[in-house]
Amino acid sequence: MKLRKLFCIAGVALAAFASSPASAVVVTGFSSAAGNTYMDFSDDGLVSFDLDLNRPSGTTFNFRIESEDMGGPLLFNAVVNNLFGSGISRFVLTLSNATFDFIGSVNAPFDAGAGASGSGSSATISFPTPDAFGFEIGDPLAVGLPEQNWRINISNLEEGDSFSLRLQQVPEPGSLALLLGALAAAGFAHRRTANRHRHVV
Amino acid sequence: MPLHRFSPARRTLLKHSGAIAATSFIGTMGALYSRNAFAATGKQLTPAASPYGAVAPVNDLTTGLPLLQLPAGFSYKSYGWTGDMMADDRSTPSNHDGMAVVETRRVGRSIEHVLVRNHERGLTSTLDAAVQADQNYDQGLINGIITVFSPGGVGPRVRFGATTVASQTAPDPAPLVGYAGGGTSNMVFRDGNWHSSTSSIGGTLGNCAGGPTPWGSWLTCEETIADLSGIGGEKHGYVFETDSNRADSIATPIVEMGRFSHEAVAVDPLTGYVYETEDNRNLSALYRFVPNAPLPLSNGSLQTGGTLQAARIKTIINKASAATQDQANDVGLLNPDIGDEYELEWVDINDPDASPVVVQAQPGGVSIGVMSGPTYEALSKGCARMARGEGIWHAAGKMFIVDTASGLDGSSRPGRGEGAVWVLTLATMHLKAIFVSGHSSAGNNPDNVTVSPRGGVILCEDGGTGSAGAARLLGLNPAGESYVFCRNNMNLTAAQISGAGKTVAAGSYFGSEFAGACFEPSGRVLFVNIQTPGLSFAINGPWAKGNL
């Protein structure tokens, strides 16, 4: 019931639930644009997923802490696949009810200058050249140094508590201009339609 | 780490973007190419504006060298240069040509794409210099000349050795000496990075292009009709099957697919029919192979044989200049205009392994030439003549077919022009010219072709530097008009090559052809080769800005 309410608030029809293991971090909610999907690789003390972005959209994961996750910060890694074909200038990660304990590595195969910074509940991944392929947060493929997993501080949480992670890409300026143009055109069309309807009425 | 073929669920994930794109692609295909602004003039003379913007030099992420010119926002990595060591401790063969992604699979949490790449090579001086794989066809030492006769042995003959001699009075040429040096190599691209490569078929000749199959293999095509069986080797001019797992490749020719100067093939996934092009100037036909094996086909199915058929124009649907059906079949495809359209029928070829013959006085100023045996039978039955069939690619129920020499040269000879792209709609068997170049700036002998998961057509030029000054990758916009997507920028000094750890020769390669363009299923990465000095690229960028 609570989850259903959450998705209604998010205004997104997706209600994908991972077939999570009985222990470890559990994904209890996923909200993103239609067509965006994920695979959960979380384990004891580890938040880990592959996120396929077929549509540019903000994405929110909700997690529940299990007993096996207690005792220290959670490790965090992910693979983000950019499948919508437009460049991403920045990628912002925001935690609710938890904070980043360590900002680890970012590996973008087609953008050697990618890097991450941040503190507290927010981190930003920056791409010198807008990224149109995708990237790895931390060390999801277990290649070792220089890749390093990020850490999430959950010291204020107990078993059964929840936290969330929102991921939001910032489009490259060109795409942003196109998006704003499209929104303006849509707004104009809506106004024309509304005005015409008023005349009819 | 365990290796798994893709689960359907994961395949769906990766292909999702392609599926979404395909919906709109198929929706637009009906109206596609009907608005070509150049249709009124018959041929396109200048490139259209690129939706991706102008190209400029971009440094290779692997070597730091400015090897390609690309639109803003695109980047690339080079791999598999000629001479680079492969995982099987052999050096990468030269002459990179046709290529495709034949399998996408999950290894642990990684995503791997397996590509097969052709190496269009002739004879090598030593066996070690030839492509050597687990599976090899012709390993013999070749030493001698071969002679092709006119039908019935009456008339001129042509002798092939170190040179080709068509004169009846000249002495024999110096002998052919060496080993069949062509073949294929398999490459793995993992998680956005080049990973490894290995030899995968050897002992073949002139592996020009080929085509991927729906069952995860690559059909590699020999562009030759040389019968070396009398001088130490084997008969050539066949199609072979390279598997994504190189040990499962089959170095036995698929004889019933025909023996001719093969260029490329494409499989209709609904029927399993394999459509084949032939590259032999003005002595070429368009073929298809109807396998005996029932669907679903798998690696080795084509070895059970089938029927070779050649295309014949049944109906002239649209042609600017009046022609009879016989004229259309004889020369109609050699100099098309944009919008020319025909209905095809298919004619059985009785002997797909027939020996080539010498023919005279053919269209386009071919005074004497060597025609493959199947094509001699096909044209004798009134089938359609192509100039030089090159790339062919299946997408959404259509075959995109390139004739690299359609058009006229400066002496108005047909079949010696700048090239054209035909689309064959499989449901209706209608063949329509959607792009015809009338000047090298619009299209300089396009060769290999691919279609992106979003439905965009990419052409690889093979006409040298042309008026543009370099070989290019061209896109076709939704109206069928060509635009410049990428330009060869390879002009390397010895210091640059040495600094990159490569062993190729210094010099300008601006005119070297692009080949083997193909996308992986998600459409994020375009793979392509430059044939000389021989290297492969993976290109990524904001594809959504345009139609590719």
Side-chain angles (χ1 to χ4, degrees):
Chain A
M1 191 65 188
K2 186 178 177 183
L3 280 173
R4 185 175 300 169
K5 185 179 178 184
L6 169 68
F7 289 123
C8 290
I9 292 169
V12 176
L14 279 182
F17 296 91
S19 54
S20 309
S23 61
V25 178
V26 175
V27 178
T28 57
F30 172 77
S31 149
S32 191
N36 293 343
T37 57
Y38 76 99
M39 293 181 73
D40 183 27
F41 294 93
S42 298
D43 206 337
D44 292 357
L46 171 68
V47 174
S48 181
F49 53 82
D50 288 0
L51 176 62
D52 286 357
L53 295 175
N54 286 288
R55 297 270 187 263
S57 162
T59 299
T60 300
F61 287 90
N62 296 310
F63 302 100
R64 187 178 68 236
I65 304 296
E66 300 291 285
S67 59
E68 291 78 1
D69 305 317
M70 305 306 295
L74 298 174
L75 298 177
F76 168 51
N77 62 49
V79 175
V80 179
N81 290 311
N82 177 351
L83 300 174
F84 54 85
S86 296
I88 299 172
S89 291
R90 285 181 293 132
F91 201 79
V92 179
L93 297 90
T94 307
L95 286 165
S96 293
N97 220 19
T99 57
F100 287 108
D101 181 73
F102 174 69
I103 306 296
S105 62
V106 171
N107 176 36
F110 282 90
D111 194 344
S117 62
S119 62
S121 61
S122 179
T124 300
I125 298 171
S126 301
F127 303 98
T129 302
D131 183 82
F133 180 80
F135 50 92
E136 296 152 14
I137 302 171
D139 188 15
L141 305 176
V143 299
L145 292 172
E147 311 304 328
Q148 286 184 281
N149 284 327
W150 296 28
R151 292 198 298 265
I152 296 173
N153 184 345
I154 55 167
S155 59
N156 62 327
L157 301 179
E158 296 180 352
E159 179 184 349
D161 286 348
S162 295
F163 69 97
S164 66
L165 171 64
R166 179 165 177 78
L167 307 98
Q168 177 72 56
Q169 71 275 7
V170 179
E172 62 178 302
S175 302
L176 188 60
L178 282 175
L179 179 63
L180 291 175
L183 287 173
F188 178 70
H190 178 73
R191 278 188 62 183
R192 286 191 61 184
T193 304
N195 287 337
R196 191 164 56 242
H197 285 173
R198 270 198 291 275
H199 283 299
V200 171
V201 172
Chain B
M1 189 167 284
L3 184 150
H4 305 287
R5 300 260 173 169
F6 254 123
S7 71
R10 185 60 183 166
R11 190 184 297 272
T12 300
L13 281 179
L14 276 184
K15 287 191 171 179
H16 198 88
S17 61
I20 291 170
T23 305
S24 56
F25 169 46
I26 294 166
T28 59
M29 285 295 283
L32 197 58
Y33 318 125
S34 60
R35 305 181 306 278
N36 191 314
F38 299 95
T41 61
K43 294 177 173 61
Q44 184 175 341
L45 302 178
T46 57
S50 168
Y52 297 99
V55 298
V58 177
N59 288 342
D60 175 18
L61 292 172
T62 305
T63 64
L65 299 173
L67 307 174
L68 299 177
Q69 293 188 23
L70 287 164
F74 281 83
S75 56
Y76 65 95
K77 300 174 176 184
S78 71
Y79 180 75
W81 291 56
T82 298
D84 284 355
M85 290 306 293
M86 299 192 291
D88 57 0
D89 292 328
R90 299 192 57 79
S91 64
T92 301
S94 60
N95 297 64
H96 303 30
D97 209 297
M99 182 169 69
V101 176
V102 298
E103 186 182 1
T104 295
R105 63 195 182 195
R106 187 174 186 85
V107 180
R109 198 168 166 182
S110 292
I111 304 299
E112 284 189 352
H113 305 294
V114 182
L115 298 97
V116 183
R117 178 180 59 191
N118 271 9
H119 297 277
E120 186 183 17
R121 307 173 86 211
L123 299 182
T124 57
S125 57
T126 66
L127 188 58
D128 188 59
V131 177
Q132 293 283 295
D134 292 345
Q135 313 295 334
N136 303 294
Y137 173 54
D138 185 351
Q139 298 281 275
L141 172 61
I142 292 141
N143 189 350
I145 68 165
I146 53 177
T147 304
V148 180
F149 297 95
S150 299
V154 179
R157 60 178 180 167
V158 175
R159 286 160 288 169
F160 294 91
T163 58
T164 300
V165 177
S167 165
Q168 306 308 294
T169 56
D172 281 352
L176 294 165
V177 179
Y179 298 86
T184 60
S185 54
N186 286 13
M187 300 188 291
V188 174
F189 187 78
R190 175 188 287 183
D191 301 321
N193 295 296
W194 289 109
H195 181 262
S196 61
S197 57
T198 53
S199 312
S200 48
I201 262 190
T204 51
L205 270 180
N207 300 64
C208 198
T213 68
W215 53 91
S217 64
W218 165 258
L219 298 173
T220 182
C221 297
E222 291 186 306
E223 189 183 359
T224 180
I225 43 180
D227 179 357
L228 305 177
S229 60
I231 55 173
E234 303 284 352
K235 285 168 72 175
H236 290 269
Y238 297 115
V239 177
F240 299 81
E241 187 164 15
T242 303
D243 196 73
S244 58
N245 178 6
R246 64 188 177 122
D248 293 333
S249 297
I250 304 171
T252 302
I254 307 169
V255 174
E256 293 185 25
M257 289 187 73
R259 179 167 170 253
F260 50 85
S261 282
H262 289 274
E263 173 65 33
V265 300
V267 182
D268 172 9
L270 288 181
T271 61
Y273 295 180
V274 186
Y275 290 75
E276 310 177 56
T277 59
E278 181 182 22
D279 183 5
N280 189 10
R281 188 185 301 279
N282 292 359
L283 307 176
S284 305
L286 175 65
Y287 291 99
R288 74 177 183 185
F289 176 67
V290 180
N292 287 334
L295 295 175
L297 302 176
S298 58
N299 187 15
S301 291
L302 302 182
Q303 293 282 350
T304 62
T307 302
L308 184 68
Q309 298 178 323
R312 183 166 64 194
I313 293 171
K314 179 181 179 184
T315 310
I316 301 171
I317 296 172
N318 181 54
K319 180 154 177 59
S321 53
T324 65
Q325 187 173 332
D326 285 345
Q327 289 169 335
N329 275 298
D330 191 28
V331 296
L333 304 186
L334 302 186
N335 180 29
D337 288 326
I338 297 168
D340 279 8
E341 188 171 1
Y342 304 96
E343 182 187 12
L344 302 183
E345 61 184 351
W346 295 91
V347 177
D348 286 355
I349 299 299
N350 296 327
D351 187 357
D353 197 27
S355 295
V357 294
V358 171
V359 293
Q360 302 177 76
Q362 298 294 303
V366 181
S367 59
I368 186 167
V370 175
M371 183 184 285
S372 74
T375 303
Y376 185 74
E377 180 182 342
L379 298 194
S380 299
K381 291 178 173 176
C383 291
R385 181 195 302 268
M386 294 193 75
R388 291 180 55 200
E390 294 278 3
I392 182 169
W393 197 270
H394 173 270
K398 297 174 187 295
M399 292 288 175
F400 292 77
I401 304 166
V402 178
D403 189 324
T404 191
S406 293
L408 306 175
D409 65 4
S411 302
S412 297
R413 296 182 298 177
R416 295 176 181 272
E418 301 293 352
V421 177
W422 297 88
V423 170
L424 176 63
T425 302
L426 298 174
T428 61
M429 284 300 156
H430 284 197
L431 181 72
K432 183 177 182 180
I434 61 164
F435 165 73
V436 183
S437 175
H439 191 275
S440 65
S441 68
N444 185 16
N445 301 121
D447 187 319
N448 288 177
V449 60
T450 193
V451 181
S452 77
R454 289 165 289 272
V457 177
I458 288 184
L459 306 173
C460 300
E461 285 191 328
D462 182 19
T465 52
S467 58
R472 302 166 300 179
L473 292 175
L474 303 176
L476 293 187
N477 67 22
E481 301 158 356
S482 68
Y483 61 84
V484 179
F485 170 72
C486 175
R487 183 182 161 106
N488 182 333
N489 197 54
M490 292 193 64
N491 184 12
L492 303 175
T493 66
Q496 286 176 313
I497 293 167
S498 173
K502 307 302 178 187
T503 57
V504 301
S508 170
Y509 296 100
F510 287 157
S512 180
E513 68 174 288
F514 281 102
C518 58
F519 284 86
E520 43 80 34
S522 79
R524 287 183 292 174
V525 179
L526 168 67
F527 301 100
V528 69
N529 299 320
I530 286 181
Q531 186 171 80
T532 307
L535 69 165
S536 301
F537 298 96
I539 302 172
N540 167 257
W543 297 107
K545 284 184 176 176
N547 67 317
L548 297 180

